[in-house]
């Protein structure tokens, strides 16, 4: 009863399906929590496959409409801080680069944050038998983009009076004294949180795609919706979202049964409760 009540009263974004109903935006995909101990689940495969799906969705959406356009501009936005824009934009840039695309990643200057220290496995989780909730801060997925992208394709820009007049990425480069030696296929620009900062309207309206990044474990408040509503008239139908930090079990809606090491006995019991008695039989 407690579990059912908690599930019914859970108003967080949680997963792509629930977030779509709340945000009224099309989803590009989801990214799981980067757990320190994911158990028997093959987490590197899961996070890489989900990232491939997101990247493929982006390319499929942009390519038909912009086949003749040399540079495609993608904005990464969030309503509040610490939603995961930097991590996602960096990893999407890396994936596009691995596919042979030339990339330019622009992140705004931020205050340096102290390195996060790993906490101990909570005693209550141990006693009740819950999974280890700690995040693997040393995971390559969470690394700073400047550590794996070439210095010529990753830059930091300053937020000042000039920034709010920028109409495209080239003006941002000029404002910060940055010179490129190539023409990028994709330009990925991270914008500061909408609730706490203004944004350049011409840059938003001229972008080819805007991606809203949201944490799965947060409530979507009136202030978030108000900030998004102010932006939507500029983006038309070019706004999509990615739900970040979902529970691993939620990714089964995209990947099916997660690749993990389980005993034959456990698989049989699972299929028994799902009434899949002959699921392994070949046609």
């Amino acid at each position: 009863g407690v579990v059912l009540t908690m599930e019914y009263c859970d108003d967080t974004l949680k997963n792509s399906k629930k977030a779509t109903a709340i945000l009224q935006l099309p989803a590009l995909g989801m990214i799981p929590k980067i757990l320190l101990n994911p158990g028997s689940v093959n987490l590197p495969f899961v996070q890489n496959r989900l990232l491939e799906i997101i990247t493929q969705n982006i390319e499929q959406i942009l390519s038909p409409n912009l086949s003749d356009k040399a540079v495609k501009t993608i904005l990464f936005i969030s309503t509040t801080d610490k939603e995961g824009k930097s991590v996602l934009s960096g990893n999407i840039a890396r994936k596009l680069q691995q596919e042979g695309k030339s990339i330019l990643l622009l992140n705004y200057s931020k205050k340096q944050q102290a390195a996060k220290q790993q906490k101990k496995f909570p005693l209550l989780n141990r006693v009740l038998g819950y999974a280890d909730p700690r995040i693997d801060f040393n995971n390559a997925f969470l690394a700073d983009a400047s550590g794996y992208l070439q210095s010529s394709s990753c830059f930091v820009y300053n937020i000042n009076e000039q920034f709010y007049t920028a109409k495209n990425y080239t003006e941002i480069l000029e404002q910060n004294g940055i010179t490129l030696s190539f023409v990028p296929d994709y330009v990925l620009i991270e914008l500061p949180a909408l609730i706490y900062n203004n944004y350049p309207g011409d840059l938003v309206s001229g972008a080819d795609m805007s991606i809203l990044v949201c944490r799965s474990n947060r409530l979507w408040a009136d202030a978030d919706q108000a900030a998004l509503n102010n932006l939507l008239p500029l983006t038309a139908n070019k706004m999509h979202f990615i739900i970040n930090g979902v529970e691993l079990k939620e990714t089964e809606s995209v990947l099916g049964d997660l690749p993990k090491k389980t005993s034959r006995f456990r698989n049989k019991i699972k299929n028994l409760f799902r009434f899949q008695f002959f699921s392994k039989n070949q046609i």
Side-chain angles (χ1 to χ4, degrees), residues 74-274:
I74 304 173
L75 302 183
F76 287 81
I77 64 176
S78 67
T79 55
T80 61
D81 294 321
K82 299 181 180 180
E83 299 284 329
K85 298 190 301 294
S86 299
V87 170
L88 278 173
S89 60
N91 279 282
I92 291 173
R94 172 164 54 181
K95 184 61 66 176
L96 288 170
Q97 205 168 61
Q98 290 172 353
E99 295 177 359
K101 308 293 193 303
S102 57
I103 298 300
L104 172 62
L105 177 64
L106 296 174
N107 292 323
Y108 64 94
S109 58
K110 315 179 189 72
K111 293 181 179 179
Q112 290 292 333
Q113 298 180 353
K116 295 183 179 180
Q117 295 182 349
Q118 191 59 262
K119 299 178 181 180
K120 294 183 179 180
F121 191 170
L123 179 60
L124 185 61
N125 286 60
R126 291 176 182 269
V127 173
L128 298 179
Y130 289 119
D132 189 344
R134 294 176 295 173
I135 302 299
D136 182 9
F137 297 116
N138 295 322
N139 191 297
F141 191 86
L142 300 180
D144 190 272
S146 60
Y148 52 77
L149 294 178
Q150 297 177 356
S151 58
S152 60
S153 60
C154 182
F155 296 95
V156 174
Y157 68 87
N158 295 311
I159 298 178
N160 49 34
E161 293 180 359
Q162 288 182 315
F163 168 69
Y164 297 112
T165 65
K167 297 180 181 179
N168 49 52
Y169 80 96
T170 57
E171 292 191 7
I172 295 178
L173 296 179
E174 291 173 1
Q175 293 169 5
N176 292 270
I178 300 171
T179 303
L180 290 184
S181 58
F182 65 98
V183 177
D185 296 317
Y186 287 86
V187 177
L188 288 70
I189 306 175
E190 178 189 350
L191 296 183
L194 298 179
I195 290 180
Y196 311 122
N197 302 271
N198 290 334
Y199 48 84
D202 290 336
L203 178 67
V204 174
S205 60
D208 302 306
M209 175 182 283
S210 294
I211 299 177
L212 177 68
V213 180
C214 306
R215 282 184 292 109
S216 65
N217 62 347
R218 60 162 302 188
L219 297 173
W220 189 251
D222 291 339
D224 298 299
Q225 190 61 48
L228 182 61
N229 288 341
N230 289 334
L231 193 71
L232 285 176
L234 297 176
T235 62
N237 60 347
K238 297 180 290 186
M239 175 76 76
H240 300 72
F241 79 90
I242 296 174
I243 192 76
N244 190 28
V246 302
E247 298 291 341
L248 274 173
K249 63 180 181 180
E250 300 292 346
T251 63
E252 291 188 342
S253 64
V254 178
L255 301 179
D257 288 340
L258 297 180
K260 54 187 175 181
K261 298 178 181 179
T262 55
S263 65
R264 292 181 62 185
F265 175 76
R266 184 171 180 176
N267 288 334
K268 289 183 179 296
I269 292 297
K270 183 177 180 180
N271 288 336
L272 176 65
F273 280 99
R274 294 166 67 181

